[in-house]
Amino acid sequence: MKLFNTLSREIEEFEPLEKGKVRMYVCGPTPYDKSHIGHARTYVVFDMLRRYLEHRGMEVKLIINLTDVDDKIIKRAKDFDSWQVVPDRYSRYYFWMLEKLRVKMPYTFPKVSNHMQEIIELVETLLEKGYAYKTSDGVYFDVSKLPGYGRLSRVNMDDPKIARIEPSPEKRNPADFALWKFRKEGEPFWHAPFGEGRPGWHIECSAMSSRYLGRQFDIHGGGSDLQFPHHENEMAQSEAAFGTKPWVRYWMHVAFLTINREKMSKSLGNIIGVDELFDAFPPEVVRYYLLSAHYRTQLDFTWEKLKTAREQWAKVVRAWYDVLQRKEQGIYGKDDISREIMLELKGVEEAMDSDLRTPEAYAKVHMIASLVLGNEPDKKSVEAALEAFRVIDGIFAFLPAKGWTARELRLAEKLADLREEFRRAGRFDISDRIREDARKEGVLIEDTDEGPRVKFVPKGKED
Ligand code: AMP
Ligand code: ZN
């Protein structure tokens, strides 16, 4: 299996440090506002990676942190009685989104406020080893002390923008960054041997990843905006403190989801919250859409594209429902397409093995759907298709729950028989109405040589 590594800018063979076990850390949200569809993309992609690694027989220990101590949280806290209220309220949106999108539970969601001891110890180590220094407003990391600083993001170190990220007149180098910020009036603070205050932006991820994954691990991910300064600085302080190089074996970044090619941001007023999204489309369709583009290409959102995705998704679901229902009712055809189905499934795995090329994998999934819908699969082929859909859903998790119960199926069959009686009696007004009403409920009544047959079809929200 191959993955693109941001550190080398190359597609590399993936081999975990410990055979069969993958340790993975994904930077989590700063819960100061509702989660939006951009966040959804990043976490759904890493969930798919996790699922795919598991499909390939690996055990995955995934950590996603929650940045509950941060400038944005503190700013937002002015609207509430205490800063703790902010992450408490807004992380609910995040968890709700993950659940709706079928993101599997990580090992844990560690919070900064629960890991102060680890953070403080890490800052102390960096001070002791001479990589950090104190100023009047905090403790800073001295980037000139670490050879190779900048090699992850490959930013131009002479860019004047770098100094503006964390301006401070006492800094030794423009790229130096705060490990600890000394106490300020009205801000939360913690006691530390080097002075009361709170952590800087990056130190939490080094402290929490080493707490749960050790001082070296396999995959570190996030959105592409995190390459600099966040991940560059995480890497610098971790290599300095732990002496492990590379600290992380594979760095992975998900390209941004944009609107009209612009970044989604509050100031531009172009944010699409996940609640708004799920009101209009089933979460399965959203997940299908988010994974349809390769994770390293920008995905420009439009409602129109989401609608198109729903149509494509519905075809896959129709095929899945078809074989599911055939098995349930024991209705089999004469076509043996089992070999073709298994071949296409192999194609899905090949595409995924090659840096998670979902567009190619989706094309193979559609081939399977076309095979099912364009033939009358025999028993063996129905079994093969069910197995293929089980694997596909295990990786992509975009199939909805089975859309009927055994009782609904029986009722639908009775309705179809009733319609048949009216039709035979020439009461087309009634028989047509039954068919139309059933269709509105997602039940198609089809006439076949063996009599009427009912078929359940997936329902999208807007129908
Ligand atoms: P934040 O809460 O802003 O720190 O973001 C949490 C995660 O979501 C980070 O990994 C970001 O890179 C990612 N993210 C934020 N906005 C987008 C977007 N528009 N597209 C993809 N990922 C995003
Ligand atoms: Zn991080």
Side-chain angles (χ1 to χ4, degrees), residues 2 61 144 208 237 249 270 305:
K2 291 188 167 65
K61 187 173 182 185
S144 70
M208 294 194 280
Q237 68 207 4
R249 293 279 297 270
N270 60 2
K305 281 190 212 155

Side-chain angles (χ1 to χ4, degrees), residues 25-28 65 67 201-202 204-206 220-221 226 230-231 234:
Y25 186 96
V26 175
C27 291
N65 68 298
T67 303
W201 176 17
H202 320 291
E204 60 181 271
C205 291
S206 298
H220 194 325
L226 297 188
H230 187 54
H231 286 166
E234 277 188 32

Side-chain angles (χ1 to χ4, degrees), residues 50-79:
R50 179 235 178 116
R51 286 167 173 274
Y52 192 65
L53 293 166
E54 287 175 348
H55 168 69
R56 297 284 258 95
M58 285 171 256
E59 203 182 292
V60 181
K61 187 173 182 185
L62 168 66
I63 308 293
I64 301 178
N65 68 298
L66 291 175
T67 303
D68 66 342
V69 179
D70 171 90
D71 292 345
K72 292 191 213 96
I73 304 255
I74 293 166
K75 208 166 149 212
R76 192 73 200 253
K78 301 198 170 34
D79 301 336

